[in-house]
Amino acid sequence: MDLFEDDTAQTPSNAPEFSVSELSGAVKRTIESGFSHIRVRGEVGRVTLARTGHLYFDLKDERAVLSAISWKGQVAKMTVRPEEGMEVIATGRMTTFAGQSRYQMTVENVEPAGAGALMAMLEKRKALLASEGLFDPARKRPLPYLPDIIGVVTSPTGAVIRDILHRLRERFARKVLIWPVAVQGQNCAAEVANAINGFNALTPGGALPRPDLLIVARGGGSVEDLWGFNEEIVARAAAASRIPLISAVGHETDTTLIDFVSDRRAPTPTAAAEIAVPVRLELATWVSDQETRMARSVTQAQERRAQRLRDLARSLARPERALEAPQQRFDRASERLDVALQGLVAKRSVELARTAAALRPAVLQARIAAAQERAMGLSARLAPALARGTNDHHKAFARVAQRLDGDMVSQIALRKSEALATTTQRFSRVTQGQISDWRARLDALERMRQTLGYTATLTRGYAVVRGAQGLVTSAQDAAAIVSVEFSDGLVAVGPGAAPAASAQPESTQGASVAQAGPKKAKRKAQKKSDAPPDQGSLF
Amino acid sequence: MSDTDESQMTFEQAMAELERVVGQLERGDVALDASIDLYERGARLKARCEAKLAEAQEKVAKITLDRDGQPTGTTPVEGL
């Protein structure tokens, strides 16, 4: 081992020397010649569609990965495009890419590895669209009864369009617009979807008039042939179509994705034409039937009315007969009329005569005389009745006057005089009593007055001394004394003295007299009491 | 529907109306004057239906497309 290692490490080999390019070219030749046509089975890994249209993808199994490429032209020819997760058998050849030391497979065709794989993919799509509600029966629109223009999306050549036109012609020839599409291959799905969208984009009645019904049709084929109608874009375009759409793809047993979203699925293209239009002849028959029924019913209605009119007319009585009975009654009544009238006149004449008899002048005069007589009688009774009435009143008056006699009045007057006298006596008696009472009280008061007055004092020896200016109560004023009063008279003193007048001085001055001094007054009174009542004149 | 618009009706509408008119006449519960009007209307509806039926002309055209798949016009199709 060591020697060998040393040899290789140190000894130059006899093997030829390659440049990188030479080796790469040699490898390329070896690989491409050895694997010029191969079929590889594997699962599709990551898929990338380059802008150039080339498709890059991986093929893999549990242990290895193989890069794969399909050129644009190859992709176009594929019926089935590789999708991630798909189990496929790829057909092609191996190539190398010397620039990166890589090898890869150029894939010309891809087939699903058994129908199961393809169906599994289809089921996955169906589940997706169903979850979006695109298969909902409520989304399906009714087809027009008789479309004017039918748009057909199919191949412009081949049996399918021929079958459709043929059947339409048989039933009810219509205007047909064919939108040509590839019904298989790589462009199929895109073209079909574009056709459905394109028909919907047309304006009704325009230069390119919009159809009122679409038929998407294709004849029978393998699952791969029909695969375009399983593509999602086709299904979505059909679901979005505002024009009612009939799908007719493949035979009755083939079901593609578009059948689930179309408004109606036809088992074959021919059947689509039958669904699309009614049979014109049947309609024409129906219309003429309607006309017949209409005419018949109108005729019948008129006949019914005519019959009824006849029946009614029959049951109407003849007018002459209707008048017979009244005529008879009239005749009989007319006959009786004259008789009845004459009888009535006679009866009334009798009544008139009877009534008129009572209205003769003699009878009236007698009634007037009688009335006059009664009036006279009443007049005669009038005066006596009046006199009698007056007399009665006179008598009544006299009776009342009699009751008014003098005695009674005198008696009343007497009674009243007595009552007056009594009252007067009682009055004078009372008055006398009153007056003597008052006198007694007056005397008593006078006595009391005299007792209380100074004059009584005078009798007990007091005297009242007066000056010119009034009472003299002081000895100093003695010169002015003019008079002295005693109980029995007045004595003048001094130059002007004169015998006392007997005039009584004012009793009101008595009080001052009493105060004049008891000694002097007593003395004077002593003197006075000795003297006779007229001794005043001794001074 | 008024009596004047039969000419605007689709075949289906005219058909339904005609059916109604006939049914009404057949029931016989229409007054005489009205039944005459109805009959005349029925006749107009029938004429409309027949006119639509007479329009059964086949005309088949193929849409021509440009490079982008947009329609550019039509070409007549013969022999299919």
Side-chain angles (χ1 to χ4, degrees):
Chain A
M1 285 292 279
D2 288 359
L3 278 174
F4 183 79
E5 282 181 352
D6 286 343
D7 282 345
T8 51
Q10 294 168 5
T11 311
S13 173
N14 291 329
E17 205 176 76
F18 288 102
S19 71
V20 173
S21 294
E22 283 169 350
L23 182 61
S24 295
V27 168
K28 186 182 181 73
R29 277 190 298 279
T30 306
I31 289 178
E32 290 190 353
S33 63
F35 304 98
S36 60
H37 184 79
I38 48 167
R39 297 180 77 226
V40 181
R41 182 182 184 125
E43 188 190 333
V44 177
R46 197 165 48 84
V47 180
T48 312
L49 180 64
R51 301 182 101 190
T52 51
H54 310 319
L55 191 71
Y56 298 90
F57 59 101
D58 291 338
L59 289 171
K60 59 184 182 181
D61 60 15
E62 293 80 24
R63 287 184 300 274
V65 176
L66 174 66
S67 295
I69 178 173
S70 290
W71 306 111
K72 189 180 177 182
Q74 293 168 325
V75 173
K77 286 176 196 155
M78 284 180 178
T79 50
V80 176
R81 276 199 200 180
E83 285 181 28
E84 189 168 346
M86 196 188 254
E87 188 79 11
V88 295
I89 297 166
T91 307
R93 58 190 174 87
M94 292 303 294
T95 60
T96 62
F97 182 39
Q100 285 185 0
S101 182
R102 289 178 61 181
Y103 62 93
Q104 61 192 16
M105 180 177 177
T106 300
V107 176
E108 288 161 12
N109 193 25
V110 170
E111 312 161 35
L118 209 56
M119 286 305 127
M121 192 174 67
L122 181 58
E123 287 308 314
K124 213 167 74 183
R125 282 184 198 161
K126 267 161 70 176
L128 174 70
L129 296 184
S131 73
E132 291 178 22
L134 296 188
F135 301 165
D136 191 344
R139 292 186 83 254
K140 302 197 182 299
R141 280 143 308 168
L143 307 181
Y145 185 79
L146 179 59
D148 284 326
I149 304 169
I150 301 170
V152 182
V153 178
T154 191
S155 166
T157 57
V160 169
I161 187 64
R162 204 159 36 231
D163 287 350
I164 290 174
L165 292 175
H166 181 67
R167 186 50 58 94
L168 284 178
R169 205 172 293 139
E170 279 176 356
R171 292 171 68 87
F172 204 135
R174 301 277 76 189
K175 294 194 184 73
V176 176
L177 272 178
I178 303 168
W179 193 301
V181 292
V183 291
Q184 67 184 66
Q186 183 254 345
N187 291 328
C188 169
E191 286 185 14
V192 170
N194 178 55
I196 294 171
N197 295 333
F199 268 138
N200 274 283
L202 299 178
T203 40
L208 261 178
R210 188 173 128 173
D212 9 58
L213 181 69
L214 294 186
I215 298 174
V216 178
R218 189 206 189 281
S222 68
V223 172
E224 290 79 10
D225 289 342
L226 304 181
W227 195 252
F229 297 91
N230 281 325
E231 293 292 350
E232 199 176 324
I233 51 165
V234 172
R236 287 198 184 280
S241 174
R242 279 164 292 130
I243 306 170
L245 187 146
I246 302 172
S247 65
V249 177
H251 294 301
E252 189 158 3
T253 50
D254 302 323
T255 301
T256 52
L257 201 55
I258 193 176
D259 293 327
F260 292 97
V261 293
S262 65
D263 296 302
R264 190 79 181 271
R265 187 215 169 199
T268 60
T270 304
E274 286 169 5
I275 292 167
V277 293
V279 179
R280 197 187 78 89
L281 273 178
E282 288 174 5
L283 289 178
T285 310
W286 181 87
V287 169
S288 68
D289 277 358
Q290 296 300 309
E291 190 188 25
T292 311
R293 282 169 63 188
M294 194 162 66
R296 192 170 57 230
S297 62
V298 167
T299 311
Q300 279 175 354
Q302 279 176 346
E303 178 52 37
R304 225 173 22 246
R305 285 183 170 94
Q307 184 60 47
R308 185 157 162 67
L309 182 62
R310 282 193 294 275
D311 291 350
L312 288 170
R314 250 199 304 282
S315 60
L316 268 180
R318 284 188 299 113
E320 309 90 77
R321 191 172 300 158
L323 283 176
E324 278 169 2
Q327 186 72 52
Q328 208 168 341
R329 277 176 60 203
F330 173 71
D331 288 348
R332 203 176 306 144
S334 305
E335 285 164 17
R336 288 167 59 199
L337 187 61
D338 290 344
V339 179
L341 195 57
Q342 285 163 10
L344 186 65
V345 169
K347 211 170 101 190
R348 291 284 188 245
S349 300
V350 172
E351 282 175 15
L352 177 64
R354 203 162 45 229
T355 311
L359 285 175
R360 279 173 311 187
V363 174
L364 290 176
Q365 279 168 358
R367 284 175 68 180
I368 292 167
Q372 274 177 341
E373 216 168 305
R374 267 171 59 209
M376 302 275 274
L378 289 171
S379 313
R381 284 162 61 193
L382 188 59
L386 186 59
R388 200 159 50 241
T390 315
N391 202 21
D392 285 350
H393 287 301
H394 274 303
K395 276 179 190 164
F397 175 70
R399 266 201 305 279
V400 175
Q402 264 177 356
R403 283 164 60 195
L404 271 177
D405 85 59
D407 289 350
M408 209 170 77
V409 176
S410 317
Q411 274 171 15
I412 291 168
L414 190 60
R415 268 203 306 279
K416 297 292 180 195
S417 309
E418 281 168 3
L420 181 61
T422 314
T423 307
T424 309
Q425 274 175 354
R426 281 171 62 198
F427 178 70
S428 87
R429 210 165 36 241
V430 169
T431 311
Q432 291 299 323
Q434 184 91 60
I435 291 170
S436 46
D437 277 357
W438 283 342
R439 183 153 293 149
R441 279 175 64 194
L442 185 60
D443 291 347
L445 286 170
E446 176 59 18
R447 275 190 305 274
M448 186 170 288
R449 188 191 67 84
Q450 286 179 0
T451 313
L452 295 176
Y454 75 95
T455 46
T457 328
L458 295 180
T459 57
R460 293 197 308 266
Y462 293 87
V464 178
V465 181
R466 287 190 177 88
Q469 304 300 321
L471 287 177
V472 176
T473 55
S474 167
Q476 293 168 351
D477 299 332
I481 289 170
V482 171
S483 68
V484 179
E485 183 186 359
F486 299 97
S487 66
D488 52 351
L490 203 63
V491 175
V493 181
S502 63
Q504 287 286 328
E506 292 289 313
S507 60
T508 54
Q509 289 173 330
S512 345
V513 172
Q515 288 171 346
K519 203 179 276 178
K520 181 184 167 188
K522 204 163 200 173
R523 194 179 35 126
K524 281 177 188 172
Q526 198 74 23
K527 246 195 283 185
K528 277 175 195 172
S529 63
D530 293 344
D534 287 340
Q535 279 182 347
S537 56
L538 291 174
F539 295 98
Chain B
M1 284 184 195
S2 75
D3 287 356
T4 54
D5 61 0
E6 287 101 6
S7 61
Q8 302 302 314
M9 284 180 176
T10 66
F11 177 82
E12 195 180 4
Q13 287 169 335
M15 197 169 84
E17 186 64 6
L18 178 57
E19 201 161 31
R20 198 182 65 80
V21 166
V22 172
Q24 225 173 332
L25 282 172
E26 283 181 340
R27 275 199 306 279
D29 53 1
V30 191
L32 190 60
D33 288 356
S35 77
I36 290 165
D37 289 347
L38 266 182
Y39 182 83
E40 286 171 353
R41 179 156 168 73
R44 288 196 298 274
L45 289 163
K46 183 214 147 213
R48 173 65 179 167
C49 284
E50 284 179 334
K52 294 301 280 183
L53 290 178
E55 282 172 12
Q57 292 170 326
E58 186 183 84
K59 189 177 167 193
V60 182
K62 189 176 79 174
I63 290 175
T64 52
L65 301 168
D66 63 15
R67 283 165 159 264
D68 298 326
Q70 295 305 306
T72 53
T74 58
T75 54
V77 174
E78 304 290 342
L80 280 177

